[in-house]
Amino acid sequence: MTRNNGDIQDGLASEIRRQFGSEAIKRFARSMPTFRAETDIPDHLRDLLDELEGVETSPAGDRRSR
């Protein structure tokens, strides 16, 4: 039995999210200047980033509309 293309894409997307969420990747990214977070960003941008983080960590954030 073969899997349809949607199942393969969903599985791949899930695997990529899992790997990018690993502690090893997070440590590696933090060590690179390009991915280092700025601490002195304007308040309105900090608020937008906090809102984005909230959406990403919510259970509904795992489902992407297509």
Side-chain angles (χ1 to χ4, degrees):
M1 180 188 281
T2 62
R3 296 171 60 183
N4 70 27
N5 198 24
D7 289 342
I8 292 170
Q9 288 178 348
D10 289 344
L12 180 59
S14 177
E15 180 64 17
I16 290 170
R17 279 193 299 274
R18 185 188 67 78
Q19 288 185 18
F20 270 92
S22 73
E23 284 303 313
I25 293 295
K26 288 178 185 178
R27 276 192 309 275
F28 175 70
R30 280 192 300 263
S31 73
M32 301 175 72
T34 303
F35 295 103
R36 200 166 288 138
E38 294 292 330
T39 57
D40 59 343
I41 62 173
D43 289 338
H44 69 280
L45 291 178
R46 172 78 54 204
D47 293 341
L48 289 172
L49 288 171
D50 290 342
E51 185 179 338
L52 179 61
E53 176 132 2
V55 170
E56 288 178 340
T57 58
S58 72
D62 292 340
R63 297 182 205 128
R64 308 277 189 252
S65 61
R66 292 175 196 217

